Amino acid sequence: MGRRRRRVGREGAGGALPAAIAALSRTLPAGPSPEIFRRAKFDLPEAAPALWRLLFCLLSPPRTHGASVPPVPEAQARWVKSALRSHGYPRRGLAQLPEDGSRGSRELLLALSWLLARGPLLELLLAQTHVWLGDEMLVCECKALASPSLPAARVEADGCVDVRYLQWLMGKLRFRWRKLMASQQEQCSLLGKIHSYTRGCHSDHRLGHLSVTETELLRDPEAGRQLLRRLQSENARLEAALEWRCRELVFWQWMDTVLGSCPPESSWPAFLPRIPERRADELELVAGELQALQEELRAAAEARRAAWVSRVGGLGPEWSAAQRATQEAVGQELAALRQAWERGGGRAQPHGPHRLVRSEAGVLGGPGLQAAEVIGVLRSREACLEVTLHRLQGQCRQELARLAEALPSLIWILPPGR
């Protein structure tokens, strides 16, 4: 009996790693099979293309996932290298890999493990692929501004750019902006009609009306079947994520062996953070050393700043004027931000998506975010943008005045005001 129990334990330990990798693959978008991970440990070239695609899906913005034509492998490799470098990936071996995706599967596996270990990657992916049944509205653009995007193609001008071409581009930009605003207003009008016509149809009395998705289910049965498949896919990803959380320790132990088979580098990524058990006196000693290093860095920064000021101080009044202009611009921006903060009452800015719920006039809403709060936040942002716009317009006027003084023989005719 003892031998049989030991044999079963070994078989269970041997099957825990494939089960953990399979759960991770089901959680990731277009996750490769466990065989790809096994081949990547031995740096086999046939595992590299799948890992390049996986890293590109993880590091690219959500809007590029549904692109009809994916980028070529060379563009994906360049994007992955740039994104990992911007995230602070410490290993230099990834930057030395060829961009054709022919080799480097072990280094790509290390990069994937580094992404999993440094932050809540799976939680972010599950939030991006979450199926929303209500009409959601984003009240902030923090994630949209912080998320990287694919580098735009750079077009070099052959010669001088015609002013009429710039005016045409500005007109085209204004037309598209007005078209976008018109579409947004039309969407809000349609949402209001749907919420008004379906009042009292929802089973939840706190909501009171149906959303666009729920109304589409009543109108088109095929849409209901598609939504059911999406919900089943989301449930499968959630179950795989839970299974991964239960088995991930086996994966990190296996990644230690993968990292041990790599050639040594100056800096290795830490896959499984371990909190050392230190005594209180040792922690105080470490805190004192960190404080001393901070003081040394501050003294070195002050000395370098003083040397820089003494070196650039002899550039003349133009440098002093530019420095004063920069300080005034920063002061104006700080004043605008402080005014917007005081106008908002010092409250925290709302973040994340919120479901749109229509309430009756004079009826107090629930614990959610009120429309008046969102309008106040938007007005404060508008005030900050107006201050920045006026500052940039003043800089443009000063530059035009300088050009007009430099070329007295030319006549500058300002465009007519609108």
Side-chain angles (χ1 to χ4, degrees):
M1 293 296 292
R3 295 180 180 176
R4 184 178 301 174
R5 188 175 294 111
R6 282 196 298 271
R7 189 182 302 114
V8 171
R10 291 174 184 174
E11 293 176 356
L17 178 61
I21 297 178
L24 177 61
S25 299
R26 293 195 304 271
T27 308
L28 296 174
S33 63
E35 181 65 20
I36 295 295
F37 285 81
R38 188 192 68 81
R39 295 180 180 181
K41 177 183 178 180
F42 301 102
D43 203 14
L44 298 180
E46 55 267 21
L51 293 177
W52 278 117
R53 289 192 298 268
L54 175 60
L55 288 174
F56 177 77
C57 292
L58 295 178
L59 295 171
S60 59
R63 56 180 175 271
T64 60
H65 291 170
S68 58
V69 180
V72 295
E74 290 78 7
Q76 292 184 7
R78 286 193 297 269
W79 170 254
V80 169
K81 290 181 181 180
S82 176
L84 286 174
R85 191 184 306 113
S86 64
H87 282 81
Y89 184 65
R91 291 182 62 88
R92 297 186 301 270
L94 182 71
Q96 301 172 359
L97 294 179
E99 296 180 352
D100 56 356
S102 59
R103 57 186 179 88
S105 57
R106 182 190 296 164
E107 191 66 39
L108 298 175
L109 178 60
L110 293 176
L112 172 63
S113 303
W114 182 79
L115 288 175
L116 291 173
R118 69 184 295 268
L121 177 63
L122 298 182
E123 287 79 0
L124 294 176
L125 293 175
L126 292 174
Q128 291 175 2
T129 58
H130 178 61
V131 180
W132 298 99
L133 297 179
D135 300 324
E136 304 295 331
M137 181 189 70
L138 288 175
V139 296
C140 68
E141 298 180 356
C142 300
K143 295 182 178 180
L145 294 176
S147 61
S149 59
L150 288 175
R154 186 175 181 180
V155 179
E156 297 290 345
D158 297 333
C160 297
V161 180
D162 194 356
V163 178
R164 292 172 295 182
Y165 177 69
L166 295 179
Q167 292 176 350
W168 177 77
L169 288 179
M170 288 298 297
K172 187 177 181 180
L173 180 61
R174 291 194 190 97
F175 173 75
R176 291 187 175 181
W177 180 255
R178 292 172 185 172
K179 186 177 180 180
L180 176 62
M181 293 297 295
S183 63
Q184 292 289 336
Q185 292 177 359
E186 184 179 1
Q187 181 182 5
C188 292
S189 177
L190 292 177
L191 283 177
K193 290 181 180 179
I194 291 175
H195 294 171
S196 178
Y197 294 160
T198 60
R199 186 182 306 167
C201 298
H202 206 283
S203 58
D204 192 350
H205 298 288
R206 295 174 300 177
L207 300 177
H209 57 78
L210 300 179
S211 64
V212 175
T213 304
E214 294 166 344
T215 307
E216 187 68 19
L217 296 181
L218 298 178
R219 191 184 67 86
D220 186 8
E222 180 61 28
R225 288 188 286 269
Q226 294 178 3
L227 180 62
L228 178 60
R229 289 192 292 268
R230 291 172 57 193
L231 291 174
Q232 291 175 350
S233 177
E234 183 181 3
N235 289 333
R237 287 194 299 269
L238 290 175
E239 292 176 357
L242 292 176
E243 184 179 357
W244 157 255
R245 288 306 179 192
C246 297
R247 300 175 180 268
E248 63 174 333
L249 183 59
V250 181
F251 176 81
W252 295 121
Q253 293 173 353
W254 177 71
M255 283 305 305
D256 287 337
T257 62
V258 175
L259 186 60
S261 61
C262 294
E265 280 196 358
S266 58
S267 60
W268 281 9
F271 293 114
L272 185 59
R274 296 183 177 88
I275 302 177
E277 297 179 358
R278 303 288 187 182
R279 295 190 299 270
D281 51 352
E282 294 181 356
L283 291 177
E284 292 178 359
L285 179 61
V286 172
E289 292 178 356
L290 289 177
Q291 188 174 1
L293 288 175
Q294 185 178 6
E295 294 295 334
E296 292 180 5
L297 289 175
R298 184 181 293 109
E302 291 296 336
R304 182 167 295 184
R305 181 185 297 273
W308 178 77
V309 170
S310 62
R311 185 171 63 253
V312 302
L315 295 180
E318 296 182 357
W319 171 258
S320 301
Q323 187 177 9
R324 286 195 302 269
T326 304
Q327 292 177 355
E328 291 177 0
V330 173
Q332 291 176 2
E333 289 185 1
L334 288 177
L337 291 175
R338 189 179 295 109
Q339 182 181 3
W341 176 259
E342 292 175 356
R343 186 180 303 173
R347 296 171 298 180
Q349 300 295 324
H351 292 276
H354 293 265
R355 178 162 183 170
L356 295 176
V357 178
R358 186 188 183 94
S359 59
E360 298 293 337
V363 179
L364 295 178
L369 185 65
Q370 301 297 322
E373 300 178 11
V374 180
I375 294 174
V377 171
L378 293 177
R379 286 178 177 173
S380 63
R381 294 177 185 172
E382 183 183 6
C384 295
L385 292 176
E386 285 182 354
V387 171
T388 305
L389 176 62
H390 293 332
R391 178 177 58 83
L392 294 176
Q393 287 177 347
Q395 293 179 0
C396 290
R397 293 191 187 97
Q398 293 177 2
E399 183 67 18
L400 287 176
R402 186 185 66 82
L403 292 175
E405 293 176 357
L407 300 174
S409 60
L410 295 180
I411 299 177
W412 295 84
I413 301 176
L414 296 178
R418 295 183 180 272

